[in-house]
Amino acid sequence: MQILITRPQKGNHCVNQREKREKLGDDKQQEAHLFFLSLSHYIISSLLSLFLSFLINLSFNNTEQKKRESLLLLSGERALTMANLVLSECGIRPLPRIYTTPRSSFLSKPIFKLRPSPSSTTSSSSLALRLNSRDGLRNWALNVSTPLKVESPIEEEQRFDPGAPPPFNLADIRAAIPKHCWVKNPWKSMSYVVRDVAIVFALAAGAAYLNNWLVWPLYWLAQGTMFWALFVLGHDCGHGSFSNDPRLNSVVGHLLHSSILVPYHGWRISHRTHHQNHGHVENDESWHPMSEKIYKSLDKPTRFFRFTLPLVMLAYPFYLWARSPGKKGSHYHPDSDLFLPKEKKDVLTSTACWTAMAALLVCLNFVMGPMQMLKLYAIPYWINVMWLDFVTYLHHHGHEDKLPWYRGKEWSYLRGGLTTLDRDYGVINNIHHDIGTHVIHHLFPQIPHYHLVEATEAAKPVLGKYYREPDKSGPLPLHLLGIIAKSIKEDHYVSDEGDVVYYQADPNLYGEIKV
């Protein structure tokens, strides 16, 4: 038996040692590669995260803190994704993900979309970052134009178009309003009349008794506001929301409106036309926009009067005599285009009542003297006119987002009514009978004023974004002064063409006026 003893070959032992050293070297090289990869990933993701955070902070103001914070949290996720993209485009395999991303989540979609804001121009400065892959066939670029606006797909999907047809109908809104809001209580309505008339006479008696120049300005403001409150009650009579008795509505309406020189039936009929055609460019009756053609046909004095404060706030008596630019007729004349032949008798009755009130004022001038009548009646009358124009204008103008006006097939009663606006007038809300809750009033003018606030709250869930929450007022609605001044300067006319149009500004208007 032969035993063979084989000794290890020296050459084989050297090969094994060399393989071990090479393997160890590869491990160290891989560790170095991973370290370099991790460091690159961290640097790129950190820079991108800071960049996205900077854009987010630029895009949101302090009042949008919650939205900013939520987007900042998402920016970290997007920075990691973009870092992986940069590394892969540079030919480096990115770090493996050690967590899963839910595919059904909004994170599975691109979160940020960079687009120039409407104010940016083609001359805006831009920054371009280009990284070429090894094969030189692909480019990855990030083009940034200033100023920037950062939007998420969630915000983009929720962007609201006020000119789009609403997803609900008039019956849906009606069904949401409690049934008792439709009930008219003539005794309650008369109680408001008694209250307001008593205040008017008390103010006049107190001012005449004191007859002090420190008191008169306060009296003018208070009495002018009460004249406006009387108009609102007569306005309810015209809509039939005062009571279910047409005769009671007519008698009270004539007494209230004639006392402040408004022809009740003439105004009632034209105001009915306004409600039936609200939001229509041509057919609306009150504070509707002028087409560009009509606007350009106006002479300079008319433009100056129409678009200059406070002159435009004195327009109502002139509107009663001659209506708006582009329309003919008068609220006092029975043959006006405003009225149907069967309405002539009503118009004559109201004009006669107006004439009787004017005659009474002339007689009082002889009895009390022109100066006393100026202080007691004339100045409060013009304060009332300013209230009327101020409130009715802001119900249809001045929102921070331009609201649409309609023509043709795009117009409907619902869509036109939804372009109206609610306003908060502070302590004046109760004095002028909540006329600021105007959206529901325009859609359902038969609801009494003392139910409008409750009806509006009930309808808000149905209206959704088509209801625009009014800015909260202090004790006095001083915040509305800036809104109306801005609107008067910017809302001049609408295009002659198109069925959904928005106000445009004439940049040369005030230059022409100065010339």
Side-chain angles (χ1 to χ4, degrees):
M1 181 176 179
Q2 186 177 6
I3 300 176
L4 297 175
I5 300 175
T6 305
R7 291 186 295 181
Q9 298 292 327
K10 185 176 181 181
N12 292 339
H13 177 71
C14 292
V15 171
N16 292 336
Q17 292 296 327
R18 186 165 52 253
E19 288 177 352
K20 290 181 180 180
R21 287 194 300 270
E22 289 175 355
K23 185 177 180 180
L24 181 61
D26 290 340
D27 291 341
K28 291 182 178 180
Q29 185 177 2
Q30 186 176 5
E31 290 177 1
H33 172 74
L34 290 174
F35 174 79
F36 170 77
L37 187 60
S38 300
L39 182 61
S40 302
H41 195 277
Y42 174 79
I43 293 174
I44 294 175
S45 62
S46 297
L47 291 175
L48 290 173
S49 180
L50 288 172
F51 178 66
L52 293 176
S53 301
F54 173 74
L55 292 179
I56 291 168
N57 280 299
L58 281 180
S59 302
F60 297 101
N61 54 36
N62 293 332
T63 62
E64 300 173 293
Q65 181 68 23
K66 292 183 178 179
K67 188 183 296 184
R68 184 201 292 116
E69 290 174 355
S70 62
L71 288 177
L72 284 174
L73 291 175
L74 296 177
S75 67
E77 167 69 19
R78 291 305 93 197
L80 293 174
T81 303
M82 296 174 71
N84 285 336
L85 176 63
V86 173
L87 291 171
S88 62
E89 290 294 321
C90 291
I92 304 174
R93 183 169 59 87
L95 287 172
R97 298 179 70 92
I98 59 174
Y99 56 91
T100 59
T101 301
R103 295 183 180 181
S104 60
S105 168
F106 62 88
L107 289 176
S108 61
K109 301 177 182 180
I111 295 298
F112 294 102
K113 179 181 180 180
L114 301 181
R115 68 180 182 88
S117 68
S119 61
S120 64
T121 63
T122 55
S123 62
S124 300
S125 61
S126 63
L127 169 66
L129 173 62
R130 300 187 177 275
L131 297 175
N132 297 329
S133 61
R134 289 182 177 180
D135 54 13
L137 298 178
R138 292 177 297 173
N139 287 327
W140 182 84
L142 175 64
N143 292 313
V144 181
S145 296
T146 57
L148 287 172
K149 183 176 182 179
V150 181
E151 287 187 355
S152 70
I154 299 174
E155 292 176 312
E156 192 171 357
E157 291 173 6
Q158 293 178 349
R159 191 182 300 132
F160 174 63
D161 179 11
F168 50 84
N169 55 40
L170 207 61
D172 296 329
I173 307 173
R174 184 189 298 271
I177 299 175
K179 292 183 179 180
H180 67 268
C181 290
W182 304 88
V183 177
K184 307 164 190 175
N185 185 339
W187 293 104
K188 189 170 186 176
S189 297
M190 281 301 301
S191 70
Y192 286 104
V193 174
V194 172
R195 182 197 76 174
D196 289 359
V197 171
I199 293 174
V200 166
F201 279 100
L203 288 172
Y209 176 77
L210 295 173
N211 196 21
N212 188 302
W213 283 106
L214 296 177
V215 174
W216 282 117
L218 299 176
Y219 165 78
W220 296 332
L221 292 174
Q223 191 72 298
T225 303
M226 291 311 303
F227 280 9
W228 160 237
L230 294 180
F231 176 89
V232 175
L233 291 176
H235 158 274
D236 286 359
C237 293
H239 280 301
S241 62
F242 188 87
S243 75
N244 288 320
D245 187 346
R247 291 173 297 181
L248 177 62
N249 295 337
S250 181
V251 170
V252 175
H254 273 96
L255 289 174
L256 295 174
H257 274 193
S258 297
S259 68
I260 51 175
L261 296 178
V262 175
Y264 173 71
H265 278 311
W267 166 86
R268 176 185 62 81
I269 295 168
S270 74
H271 193 65
R272 178 191 64 195
T273 302
H274 165 57
H275 270 258
Q276 291 175 344
N277 298 276
H278 47 207
H280 195 289
V281 174
E282 283 83 21
N283 298 339
D284 201 346
E285 180 63 29
S286 175
W287 287 120
H288 63 92
M290 287 181 281
S291 66
E292 185 174 5
K293 181 179 179 181
I294 293 176
Y295 172 82
K296 290 183 177 179
S297 68
L298 299 178
D299 54 32
K300 292 181 181 179
T302 302
R303 290 190 197 180
F304 179 78
F305 183 88
R306 176 62 179 79
F307 298 104
T308 302
L309 286 172
L311 298 179
V312 67
M313 294 294 99
L314 305 175
Y316 186 67
F318 303 95
Y319 161 73
L320 291 176
W321 279 106
R323 298 177 72 190
S324 303
K327 296 190 176 184
K328 298 179 180 180
S330 170
H331 288 75
Y332 301 92
H333 200 292
D335 293 328
S336 172
D337 294 340
L338 278 167
F339 313 123
L340 299 174
K342 64 179 181 180
E343 296 170 333
K344 288 186 177 181
K345 183 179 179 180
D346 290 339
V347 176
L348 286 172
T349 300
S350 297
T351 302
C353 291
W354 185 94
T355 304
M357 181 62 191
L360 176 61
L361 292 174
V362 172
C363 293
L364 289 175
N365 268 278
F366 286 103
V367 174
M368 303 177 66
M371 181 58 67
Q372 191 73 347
M373 282 300 296
L374 176 69
K375 294 185 290 185
L376 282 174
Y377 186 89
I379 295 179
Y381 168 79
W382 285 106
I383 298 294
N384 151 67
V385 168
M386 296 182 73
W387 264 117
L388 194 154
D389 283 321
F390 179 74
V391 171
T392 54
Y393 182 91
L394 286 174
H395 284 161
H396 303 277
H397 299 78
H399 193 260
E400 58 185 356
D401 298 323
K402 294 288 186 182
L403 297 181
W405 289 80
Y406 301 103
R407 291 189 182 100
K409 295 181 179 180
E410 291 293 337
W411 181 88
S412 70
Y413 180 83
L414 176 59
R415 293 178 74 181
L418 292 176
T419 64
T420 59
L421 297 166
D422 280 10
R423 298 291 187 183
D424 183 13
Y425 297 93
V427 298
I428 308 298
N429 286 332
N430 181 262
I431 296 174
H432 67 188
H433 309 293
D434 291 315
I435 195 64
T437 49
H438 207 65
V439 177
I440 290 300
H441 164 69
H442 246 272
L443 294 174
F444 306 106
Q446 63 271 37
I447 295 178
H449 74 264
Y450 41 83
H451 291 318
L452 282 175
V453 174
E454 182 181 359
T456 298
E457 291 299 322
K460 281 182 184 180
V462 179
L463 298 175
K465 290 188 175 182
Y466 286 88
Y467 178 79
R468 299 157 188 92
E469 198 73 38
D471 296 332
K472 294 299 179 182
S473 174
L476 297 176
L478 301 179
H479 69 291
L480 295 175
L481 297 177
I483 293 175
I484 193 171
K486 183 175 183 292
S487 178
I488 292 294
K489 289 182 179 180
E490 296 179 355
D491 299 336
H492 298 152
Y493 59 84
V494 297
S495 173
D496 294 320
E497 300 178 354
D499 289 344
V500 181
V501 293
Y502 296 81
Y503 264 111
Q504 301 178 36
D506 178 5
N508 301 318
L509 171 63
Y510 297 101
E512 287 182 359
I513 291 174
K514 290 179 181 179
V515 171

